Amino acid sequence: MKNAILKYQDVALKIQLMIIQQGLAKGTRLANIEDLINQYGVSRSTIMKALDRLERSGVIYQVQGSGIFVRQLKKNDHLNFMESQGFTNDMSKLSGAFVVYHVDTIKPNLYIQEHLQCEAHDDVYYVKRIRYSDGKIYGFEQSYYLKKLVPYLNKEIAEGSIFTYIKDVCGVNVGFSDKYFNVIKLDAKTAGYLDLAENDPALEVEEVFHTTAGEPFDLSRVVYHYENTKFFIQSHLK
Amino acid sequence: MKNAILKYQDVALKIQLMIIQQGLAKGTRLANIEDLINQYGVSRSTIMKALDRLERSGVIYQVQGSGIFVRQLKKNDHLNFMESQGFTNDMSKLSGAFVVYHVDTIKPNLYIQEHLQCEAHDDVYYVKRIRYSDGKIYGFEQSYYLKKLVPYLNKEIAEGSIFTYIKDVCGVNVGFSDKYFNVIKLDAKTAGYLDLAENDPALEVEEVFHTTAGEPFDLSRVVYHYENTKFFIQSHLK
DNA sequence: GAGTGGTCTAGACCACAAC
DNA sequence: TTGTGGTCTAGACCACTCC
């Protein structure tokens, strides 16, 4: 038995739902903290924590001495770069699918060993696939999963959300990730996968995912199609 | 008189400093919360808030039931994509400089009006400049600042950190930003600024900065040199 | 000055990890 | 079972905005 409902998560969810359902426009002022306390029957700190979460996820912004306001500008044609997990992210809403080329068990080379903090004899799942959506190619992914933490994987699973599987079935708790990215000119082979020409531009993203316990379990490299993918990040500098 | 030292900021800073000064490696366990409370003479909540900040900025990670550990993997050749403000960001450490082409007062077109939520008659500063560092071109920036909030700007100021100026001199409190980006093929003109060829790849980042009060004050478009810039983000999915 | 968000405290209790 | 981080409370007081 895990995941008891935390009050601040519950409150955050309800406030967000309320904003969406009522279709509140950007800049709309919400109830003040005192009212929220009474409305949800929780302590001030709990409300503050809920609001903190909503603020960091870009739903609201708080202005000291003034109020709490709706932020909310969702560009549906842009991918949320912070919430992309390996590949699955927002696109789950779309009608997309994967074409899976490989799901193999391999021995990691030095580069993979270093990033996954494992030994040469440890088994690693190698997944190679392409993400489609609405008939468009979004990107080409090569991923390495530590078998120690992800004991089983096959083509069928890789045709859906691997992360959902990893979390729900393997019981892996995803904690944090390091994301490195840069722009490249495509080589002939990768261009072929993306249905683009050699030397066409692309965004190359390499990411290492860690469990909440700090163990790396997935090294992922995604090359995104430059015409079919746009990204956004809502950041908070306060 | 503003910016009284907040305890949680102070504690966060001291812990981070300690990690750096002692050169603690990734995975090193820190003192437990009880000890931190005694060590810094503050309440549990204050410690927790300090740790929360450090966790979100990628310095540490906390594992329930186990401890607090150093995260810290700074790739110095990568720019922190979350902390890049218009342009200034981490590079401030470098020996870099700007070449400023324009600092003009203009009337905003419809596109700018919409993003800065202003009227056609409002004055806007238009800044066009290039970022150099170690003899390399990092990127080409075009920025629009609302004169209402940034009453003065000139070429000399634009040769340094505009954001530092805006914060310290104009008293603008930077709150949050919306960042949109994608990969493009360079047009001839922009390629010229970056010392690249037409159709070479580039990362195009458009960002709208808001004050803590939620007012947009800067619309910025930066095109980064694909060979000279790499980025990283340390994210927290918990 | 009234109203609103932000900081800080002390302490109870819960959830998870390691032994 | 013990230790450790995480949640939640009630309440005092501070900092800022707006009238």
Side-chain angles (χ1 to χ4, degrees):
Chain A
M1 211 58 58
K2 51 166 67 177
N3 279 334
I5 307 100
L6 301 177
K7 288 197 183 180
Y8 72 87
Q9 284 180 350
D10 187 50
V11 171
L13 223 58
K14 282 176 177 162
I15 292 175
Q16 180 164 18
L17 204 64
M18 185 269 292
I19 292 172
I20 295 170
Q21 285 181 336
Q22 300 195 16
L24 300 184
K26 177 181 170 185
T28 306
R29 185 173 149 171
L30 302 182
N32 67 30
I33 292 183
E34 207 55 36
D35 291 345
L36 292 173
I37 290 172
N38 297 325
Q39 192 172 333
Y40 293 103
V42 297
S43 76
R44 183 184 181 82
S45 311
T46 300
I47 292 289
M48 291 294 276
K49 189 154 185 175
L51 294 174
D52 185 65
R53 297 299 171 112
L54 291 174
E55 189 163 36
R56 286 178 195 290
S57 57
V59 178
I60 59 162
Y61 59 93
Q62 298 178 79
V63 185
Q64 188 171 74
S66 179
I68 303 157
F69 304 88
V70 176
R71 185 163 168 193
Q72 193 97 346
L73 38 152
K74 40 183 175 185
K75 294 234 183 178
N76 280 324
D77 55 334
H78 288 67
L79 300 180
N80 187 335
F81 198 60
M82 295 309 284
E83 287 172 13
S84 60
Q85 291 183 341
F87 223 2
T88 308
N89 65 15
D90 283 331
M91 291 189 278
S92 54
K93 299 170 196 160
L94 304 180
S95 55
F98 293 100
V99 172
V100 180
Y101 291 94
H102 294 294
V103 179
D104 299 329
T105 309
I106 64 165
K107 297 292 182 189
N109 63 26
L110 273 175
Y111 185 80
I112 298 170
Q113 285 171 47
E114 189 184 324
H115 284 79
L116 291 181
Q117 291 173 34
C118 66
E119 307 293 323
H121 59 80
D122 286 323
D123 279 326
V124 166
Y125 275 111
Y126 170 49
V127 177
K128 185 159 106 178
R129 56 180 187 168
I130 278 188
R131 175 62 158 156
Y132 277 92
S133 191
D134 295 325
K136 288 181 182 170
I137 300 175
Y138 275 74
F140 169 65
E141 178 192 36
Q142 293 173 90
S143 240
Y144 304 90
Y145 298 90
L146 258 189
K147 197 164 180 175
K148 221 184 319 181
L149 290 164
V150 184
Y152 184 68
L153 210 56
N154 65 20
K155 201 175 167 182
E156 207 168 22
I157 296 167
E159 278 163 355
S161 166
I162 296 182
F163 261 71
T164 303
Y165 164 77
I166 287 180
K167 281 187 278 196
D168 297 348
V169 181
C170 307
V172 172
N173 296 307
V174 182
F176 56 89
S177 80
D178 298 317
K179 204 171 215 156
Y180 298 94
F181 58 103
N182 55 274
V183 170
I184 58 168
K185 284 184 180 177
L186 288 172
D187 59 50
K189 203 172 172 185
T190 311
Y193 283 112
L194 292 173
D195 197 20
L196 288 171
E198 187 174 355
N199 290 324
D200 268 350
L203 188 71
E204 179 183 40
V205 181
E206 188 169 285
E207 189 160 8
V208 179
F209 292 92
H210 305 252
T211 65
T212 45
E215 293 174 293
F217 68 92
D218 174 24
L219 168 61
S220 159
R221 175 181 173 266
V222 178
V223 179
Y224 288 95
H225 192 295
Y226 80 106
E227 287 173 319
N228 298 342
T229 48
K230 297 175 184 306
F231 305 91
F232 80 93
I233 292 177
Q234 291 180 290
S235 63
H236 215 96
L237 310 151
K238 189 162 68 173
Chain B
M1 211 60 57
K2 50 165 68 178
N3 279 333
I5 307 100
L6 299 177
K7 288 195 182 179
Y8 73 87
Q9 283 180 350
D10 186 50
V11 171
L13 223 58
K14 281 175 177 162
I15 292 175
Q16 179 162 18
L17 204 65
M18 186 269 292
I19 292 172
I20 295 170
Q21 284 180 338
Q22 299 194 19
L24 301 184
K26 177 183 170 183
T28 306
R29 184 173 150 170
L30 302 183
N32 67 28
I33 292 184
E34 209 53 37
D35 291 345
L36 292 173
I37 290 171
N38 298 325
Q39 194 171 333
Y40 293 103
V42 298
S43 76
R44 184 183 179 80
S45 313
T46 301
I47 292 288
M48 291 294 275
K49 187 152 186 174
L51 293 175
D52 185 65
R53 297 301 172 109
L54 291 173
E55 191 163 35
R56 286 176 195 289
S57 58
V59 177
I60 60 163
Y61 60 93
Q62 298 178 77
V63 186
Q64 189 172 78
S66 179
I68 303 158
F69 304 88
V70 175
R71 185 163 168 194
Q72 196 94 345
L73 36 152
K74 42 183 177 187
K75 294 231 179 176
N76 280 325
D77 55 335
H78 288 65
L79 300 180
N80 186 335
F81 197 61
M82 296 308 284
E83 287 173 12
S84 61
Q85 292 183 340
F87 224 3
T88 308
N89 67 13
D90 284 332
M91 291 190 276
S92 55
K93 300 168 193 158
L94 305 178
S95 56
F98 292 99
V99 172
V100 180
Y101 291 95
H102 293 295
V103 179
D104 299 328
T105 309
I106 63 164
K107 296 295 180 186
N109 63 26
L110 274 174
Y111 185 81
I112 300 171
Q113 285 172 46
E114 188 184 328
H115 283 80
L116 290 182
Q117 290 171 35
C118 67
E119 307 292 323
H121 59 79
D122 286 323
D123 279 325
V124 166
Y125 274 110
Y126 170 49
V127 177
K128 186 158 107 179
R129 56 182 187 168
I130 277 186
R131 178 62 158 156
Y132 277 92
S133 190
D134 295 325
K136 287 180 182 170
I137 300 176
Y138 275 74
F140 169 64
E141 178 191 36
Q142 294 172 90
S143 242
Y144 304 89
Y145 299 90
L146 258 189
K147 198 163 180 176
K148 224 185 315 184
L149 289 163
V150 184
Y152 185 69
L153 209 58
N154 65 21
K155 200 175 167 180
E156 206 167 23
I157 295 168
E159 278 162 355
S161 165
I162 296 182
F163 261 70
T164 304
Y165 164 77
I166 286 178
K167 282 188 278 198
D168 297 349
V169 181
C170 306
V172 171
N173 295 308
V174 182
F176 56 90
S177 79
D178 299 317
K179 204 171 213 156
Y180 298 93
F181 59 103
N182 54 275
V183 170
I184 58 168
K185 286 184 178 176
L186 288 171
D187 59 50
K189 203 172 172 184
T190 311
Y193 283 113
L194 293 173
D195 198 19
L196 287 171
E198 189 174 354
N199 290 324
D200 269 349
L203 189 71
E204 178 183 40
V205 182
E206 187 169 286
E207 191 162 7
V208 179
F209 293 92
H210 304 252
T211 65
T212 45
E215 293 175 294
F217 68 92
D218 175 23
L219 167 63
S220 158
R221 176 181 173 265
V222 178
V223 179
Y224 288 96
H225 192 295
Y226 80 105
E227 287 173 319
N228 298 342
T229 47
K230 297 176 185 304
F231 305 91
F232 80 95
I233 292 179
Q234 289 180 291
S235 63
H236 214 95
L237 309 152
K238 194 165 62 177

